[in-house]
Amino acid sequence: MQKKKSRLIRMSDIPSEQVQWLWYPYIPYGKVTIIQGDPGEGKTSFVLAMIALLTNGEPLPEEEAASPPINVIYQSAEDGLADTIKPRLERSGADCSRVLVIDESDKELTLYDERLEQAVQETGARLIVLDPLQAYLGCDVDMYRANEVRPVIKRLCSMADRTGCAVILIGHMNKAQGLKASYRGLGSIDFRAAARSVLLVGRLKDNPGIRIVAHDKSSLAPEGKSIAFSLDAENGFQWKGYCDATVDEVLSGTGSVQTKTMLMEDELKKLLIDPVPVEEVFRRATELGISERTVNIAKKNIGAQSVKLGSQWYWQLHDSRM
């Protein structure tokens, strides 16, 4: 029997392509990104807040430019759609008409399910979120066996590449302490190996109301700066901007965090004891090296208001009196 010749591809025949980004350098299009952290640290809240911006065509944190609104496929195996996911999307201000869910009532979805690619083709979705990834492996896959994980994650990566859709897998971490982030993800390390970007979500002990998103792996660009957000019952979710917290600090809970948004919030609380002309607010922000967009985010976070008296605009806190 004549042996079949190998099919060879000459690299010189492959056209070079630029990586496209949903959010540079954190989430590439056409690739798999993992967002992981311990339960209750705010992984899902972070992703839902991001979806709210994406479905409305608003700039992502620390970005000045915005892209057109996109459709998102969001699958959750742990939270109810009607009583948990939709209310959280609404509180974040998401355009829920752009958030779609594959019906799993007849058949549970898996990472290698052909319905994922079909849904992307039907809806033009630019982002798929599977939360948590462990729930979408399928009953026949042992997440700790590399030989079982590899073909599953490879098929998912191929689907992302074919469609150009960004894929986010939200994952829990194991309980081992003292290990590098590489070994804290549940299951085989092949998940991390296949992902082009890995983000770690956690909090620091000295300010547990502030959560940190640290860039733990980046195969396609330099690692991005850590981003802070707050999450509490009174104020809900609020973006806080770039910070200097490292992956190791997030894992250990050590260190402290201060961002320009937080600095501007403190400044506005002191400045707006009485109503202040808008020009004076931005003059102070310029002295502190803070951008106009950051000032406006800080204003929103503390609930300051704009009021016009005659031809002059002022900013004031809710309890201010003219």
Side-chain angles (χ1 to χ4, degrees), residues 3 54 61 100 285 307-308:
K3 290 184 178 180
L54 292 169
L100 307 118
V307 59
K308 188 175 185 181

Side-chain angles (χ1 to χ4, degrees), residues 5 14 33 259:
K5 292 184 178 181
I14 300 176
T33 296
T259 72

Side-chain angles (χ1 to χ4, degrees), residues 7-311:
R7 179 173 176 263
L8 299 175
I9 301 173
R10 197 180 302 274
M11 287 300 296
S12 59
D13 295 333
I14 300 176
S16 298
E17 296 179 352
Q18 292 285 334
V19 176
Q20 302 298 311
W21 294 90
L22 174 69
W23 184 9
Y24 180 87
Y26 306 101
I27 304 173
Y29 277 123
K31 313 293 180 183
V32 172
T33 296
I34 292 176
I35 298 176
Q36 62 184 15
D38 291 327
E41 295 295 79
K43 302 182 297 296
T44 298
S45 296
F46 164 68
V47 172
L48 293 178
M50 182 176 62
I51 288 173
L53 298 176
L54 292 169
T55 56
N56 284 295
E58 297 178 13
L60 289 162
E62 300 299 328
E63 298 287 326
E64 295 294 336
S67 298
I70 66 170
N71 290 344
V72 176
I73 296 170
Y74 188 94
Q75 302 296 136
S76 175
E78 293 185 338
D79 296 309
L81 297 178
D83 61 9
T84 305
I85 299 299
K86 184 178 180 181
R88 290 168 77 175
L89 284 168
E90 289 176 331
R91 285 195 296 271
S92 295
D95 180 351
C96 289
S97 69
R98 289 188 172 275
V99 184
L100 307 118
V101 181
I102 298 171
D103 189 349
E104 298 185 59
S105 57
D106 294 330
K107 180 184 177 183
E108 291 184 348
L109 197 69
T110 63
L111 296 181
Y112 48 88
D113 199 309
E114 63 183 11
R115 288 178 291 172
L116 287 171
E117 188 163 351
Q118 291 171 355
V120 172
Q121 292 171 344
E122 291 172 9
T123 65
R126 301 290 282 139
L127 171 64
I128 293 174
V129 179
L130 297 168
D131 182 10
L133 74 88
Q134 290 87 353
Y136 293 97
L137 285 173
C139 58
D140 298 326
V141 177
D142 185 334
M143 67 185 298
Y144 291 94
R145 291 184 178 272
N147 64 317
E148 295 183 19
V149 167
R150 285 173 186 163
V152 170
I153 196 72
K154 183 178 180 180
R155 289 178 64 177
L156 180 67
C157 291
S158 296
M159 183 278 296
D161 182 62
R162 284 193 302 273
T163 62
C165 185
V167 177
I168 290 177
L169 303 177
I170 299 179
H172 298 316
M173 301 182 76
N174 61 47
K175 296 181 180 179
Q177 299 296 320
L179 296 180
K180 290 183 177 181
S182 308
Y183 300 98
R184 286 290 314 278
L186 281 179
S188 169
I189 199 170
D190 287 81
F191 288 115
R192 178 187 176 89
R196 299 298 82 196
S197 180
V198 178
L199 302 173
L200 175 66
V201 179
R203 65 179 105 185
L204 306 181
K205 294 175 183 176
D206 75 334
N207 195 346
I210 299 295
R211 320 297 172 94
I212 309 296
V213 183
H215 206 177
D216 185 35
K217 174 188 174 180
S218 182
S219 299
L220 303 174
E223 292 173 359
K225 295 191 68 173
S226 295
I227 294 176
F229 65 91
S230 65
L231 187 63
D232 59 54
E234 182 179 353
N235 299 306
F237 186 102
Q238 293 183 343
W239 296 108
K240 297 295 185 178
Y242 286 144
C243 67
D244 294 327
T246 66
V247 169
D248 289 340
E249 287 174 336
V250 174
L251 280 175
S252 64
T254 59
S256 59
V257 59
Q258 175 67 287
T259 72
K260 287 190 175 183
T261 302
M262 296 165 67
L263 175 62
M264 195 66 217
E265 289 172 3
D266 292 340
E267 191 67 22
L268 287 176
K269 289 175 183 176
K270 292 184 291 185
L271 195 62
L272 303 184
I273 294 175
D274 295 310
V276 172
V278 174
E279 291 81 1
E280 185 176 333
V281 173
F282 284 104
R283 184 165 52 251
R284 179 58 180 149
T286 300
E287 292 172 355
L288 295 171
I290 295 175
S291 70
E292 180 177 340
R293 185 163 187 266
T294 298
V295 175
N296 286 320
I297 291 172
K299 174 192 175 187
K300 178 181 177 182
N301 285 352
I302 69 168
Q305 299 173 325
S306 298
V307 59
K308 188 175 185 181
L309 292 177
S311 60

